[in-house]
Amino acid sequence: MERVLVLMRASPDADVLDAEDEAFARAAEPGRVSFACAGDPWREAESRWQGEMWVLIVPAAVRFGKGWDRRLIRSLRRCGHTSGRAVLTGYLPRAYDAVNAVSPVAAEGFDLDGSLRFHRGTPLRYAVKPERCAFVHPDFAFGPISFFRETARLTEEEGQPLFLAAMTLRYPLFTADDPALRLTDDTPIPPCPPPAQTEELERFGLHFGVDFTARTLDAKAQVGVYTGDLTADTRVPLPVRMQEGLRRADQWLTRPNVRPMLVTCWLTLPEHVQARSPMMAGFRRLAAMKHVTLTCFADARSIRQLVLTHPNVLEFKQRHGLPTEEPITQRNALNYTRLSKPFLLQQAKDVYPGHTHYVWINFDYLRYPVYDRAALDWETFCGGKISLATVGGVPDLSMIAVPTGRLESLCRETQRLCDSAVKQGQAWPEETALWETLLREHPGWFQTYEMPGWRELFSLAMTTKEEEWGSR
């Protein structure tokens, strides 16, 4: 029997009895499981080891799925010929996440002192196997005891970060494909101080697209998926496909009256160019959806590339955006583009009339895989008012659904607020501030939806993870 030692990051006197009971109760083979609390599980793994083949490090906020032990071991087997030394890691899904999938630990950027920040990369939803990754999550790792024993030595004696120790010791890291565990909440990974410049660090940087000297990241490091198109190999389960087919048939029979058009925009701005590849990956997911009507505005230099992904691309001209006599400069171009959202919706209506709603959606909105034939219930947020999400009371302007009858007044009020600022010798208002003013001055125009995270309004139109058939 392949025994598993569960090391929970918690003090020995912490009340983790419920978590311990769940670990045993939901294991496929409870007899293989050992359990211990550890203040620093990476340092204490060796002292807590009693001959187990595998070690699992988890935080106190973990919840165990049915058959979690067998599922983790199977995931390791799917890592190929490296499975004997492979290590599973990643950000575990939280209870409030829109999708139930593990996300890679991805690189977000560098602090002024050169420390590397981390964030959740592209979730491995519907992934067919674990995906190679660069970084270890300190609160979730599953692998052979030898990995924890040897990395503890390198991190203590040489001060190497976990990810560099794994590469030095030739333990390949993989983001888990099966969400066998989940979290009630999580703690951010602290930034990694700049490691000492060594040949091993240089090799790591070349292999994973992270340059600590130049403080640059390539697209793969930013999303945490190391494939050419920044997407993992996926397969939508048959129960999900069947469920979505039935939902489409039901929607066809009920003949919904909502016919929205989604509108987005790509302009070659410095802020966009730096993240071009990850943003394009998000746009490809959106453009691939069969039951979405989408149009994209783009500058002339980008149209040729975008039409290869989506045929309905219109050339952006300044007259389509916020009407103004103020010069568009490099400093204000991004804010100008954001303030132009209502006017681009109006332009889309002029070109493609007949839709009940014109819905702004950010170019890179979809940051996780979706079933391209998913049935969408637009009536959940496309009603008689302007709909948008809020997060902690702050407007999430990545998606805004505007009824056709509200477009003209929305554009008029947006222009009034911008012109008023200019007349007073001020710059245009920031986008969030402008929409907060609109919400305050015209509360009857809006329907807001408080969401647990950013970019989640679209999920209201899709099957939830709790409803999804065959969900793990």
Side-chain angles (χ1 to χ4, degrees):
M1 181 184 295
E2 298 175 88
R3 295 171 58 203
V4 177
L5 170 60
V6 179
L7 286 178
M8 178 168 286
R9 187 186 291 276
S11 61
D13 59 347
D15 184 9
V16 296
L17 186 60
D18 289 345
E20 182 177 0
D21 288 346
E22 187 178 66
F24 286 102
R26 299 187 69 80
E29 298 185 46
R32 79 160 102 223
V33 178
S34 306
F35 190 95
C37 290
D40 186 343
W42 292 91
R43 292 190 176 188
E44 298 179 41
E46 177 67 16
S47 64
R48 301 301 183 105
W49 179 65
Q50 299 180 36
E52 295 89 352
M53 182 174 181
W54 308 109
V55 173
L56 170 64
I57 288 179
V58 290
V62 73
R63 293 296 177 264
F64 295 84
K66 186 176 181 180
W68 62 268
D69 53 331
R70 182 178 296 165
R71 290 162 64 180
L72 289 175
I73 293 171
R74 285 178 177 173
S75 283
L76 279 181
R77 300 283 187 259
R78 288 194 288 271
C79 294
H81 67 280
T82 63
S83 60
R85 294 178 65 82
V87 177
L88 297 178
T89 188
Y91 284 94
L92 294 173
R94 299 160 295 192
Y96 51 83
D97 286 337
V99 295
N100 186 34
V102 183
S103 301
V105 179
E108 183 179 32
F110 291 91
D111 289 334
L112 293 177
D113 65 354
S115 295
L116 180 63
R117 302 189 309 276
F118 303 102
H119 70 145
R120 288 178 177 259
T122 303
L124 297 193
R125 190 187 193 194
Y126 304 140
V128 300
K129 61 180 179 15
E131 287 291 326
R132 192 77 164 85
C133 64
F135 302 105
V136 182
H137 196 300
D139 276 348
F140 169 53
F142 179 71
I145 179 59
S146 56
F147 167 72
F148 299 91
R149 179 187 296 130
E150 295 172 31
T151 53
R153 176 181 57 82
L154 279 184
T155 55
E156 291 181 21
E157 295 178 3
E158 301 184 21
Q160 288 193 6
L162 289 172
F163 64 83
L164 192 56
M167 186 167 197
T168 301
L169 296 167
R170 307 296 190 269
Y171 283 95
L173 303 175
F174 290 84
T175 305
D177 61 322
D178 184 350
L181 309 170
R182 64 191 189 283
L183 301 176
T184 55
D185 202 355
D186 65 346
T187 303
I189 300 176
C192 173
Q197 291 297 320
T198 62
E199 183 178 335
E200 199 65 32
L201 181 64
E202 183 178 356
R203 190 168 72 88
F204 175 90
L206 291 173
H207 191 77
F208 291 109
V210 181
D211 191 328
F212 281 90
T213 302
R215 300 184 184 180
T216 58
L217 305 168
D218 73 6
K220 296 175 183 177
Q222 294 174 54
V223 301
V225 178
Y226 287 83
T227 62
D229 62 356
L230 306 182
T231 59
D233 187 14
T234 61
R235 184 189 303 116
V236 179
L238 178 59
V240 173
R241 287 179 278 152
M242 293 173 58
Q243 181 182 26
E244 294 300 328
L246 292 173
R247 275 169 54 91
R248 287 196 302 274
D250 180 66
Q251 290 174 5
W252 182 81
L253 290 172
T254 57
R255 303 189 181 191
N257 296 319
V258 178
R259 300 182 307 280
M261 166 170 273
L262 271 59
V263 181
T264 191
C265 181
W266 169 266
L267 298 180
T268 311
L269 302 175
E271 295 86 354
H272 291 168
V273 172
Q274 293 170 9
R276 183 181 184 90
S277 295
M279 294 180 75
M280 287 293 178
F283 178 68
R284 286 195 297 270
R285 294 187 193 101
L286 181 62
M289 299 191 74
K290 308 298 184 186
H291 303 290
V292 165
T293 303
L294 172 69
T295 189
C296 177
F297 289 88
D299 50 39
R301 72 180 78 178
S302 301
I303 289 179
R304 183 172 296 179
Q305 179 188 4
L306 290 177
V307 294
L308 298 176
T309 298
H310 184 65
N312 194 12
V313 181
L314 302 174
E315 183 177 356
F316 175 86
K317 300 182 184 298
Q318 188 171 335
R319 67 173 184 271
H320 298 155
L322 171 68
T324 181
E325 296 181 359
E326 294 296 300
I328 310 300
T329 65
Q330 185 172 341
R331 172 175 290 185
N332 66 19
L334 180 60
N335 193 41
Y336 169 79
T337 303
R338 291 171 174 169
L339 294 173
S340 294
K341 291 175 182 178
F343 304 94
L344 291 177
L345 295 180
Q346 180 66 55
Q347 178 65 21
K349 173 183 174 293
D350 293 344
V351 178
Y352 301 108
H355 294 272
T356 59
H357 295 73
Y358 292 84
V359 183
W360 173 265
I361 187 166
N362 278 10
F363 188 81
D364 60 340
Y365 186 95
L366 280 182
R367 296 194 172 181
Y368 53 82
V370 295
Y371 178 36
D372 61 0
R373 294 183 179 274
L376 300 170
D377 184 7
W378 295 112
E379 292 180 316
T380 55
F381 60 84
C382 286
K385 297 183 178 182
I386 302 171
S387 296
L388 53 89
T390 57
V391 181
V394 178
D396 178 1
L397 304 172
S398 59
M399 190 172 194
I400 309 166
V402 185
T404 301
R406 284 289 183 190
L407 274 173
E408 185 176 344
S409 54
L410 177 62
C411 290
R412 182 176 62 249
E413 283 298 284
T414 300
Q415 184 171 3
R416 179 185 68 81
L417 291 172
C418 292
D419 289 347
S420 176
V422 171
K423 288 178 181 178
Q424 297 176 41
Q426 303 171 358
W428 295 316
E430 293 295 323
E431 180 191 28
T432 300
L434 181 137
W435 282 86
E436 287 176 336
T437 301
L438 290 172
L439 284 160
R440 185 172 60 253
E441 293 185 355
H442 305 282
W445 290 8
F446 294 93
Q447 174 68 56
T448 60
Y449 300 82
E450 178 65 21
M451 305 296 287
W454 304 98
R455 301 181 182 226
E456 293 191 9
L457 183 65
F458 197 21
S459 67
L460 297 181
M462 294 188 278
T463 305
T464 66
K465 63 181 181 182
E466 293 81 11
E467 297 170 335
E468 192 173 74
W469 290 0
S471 174
R472 295 179 297 190

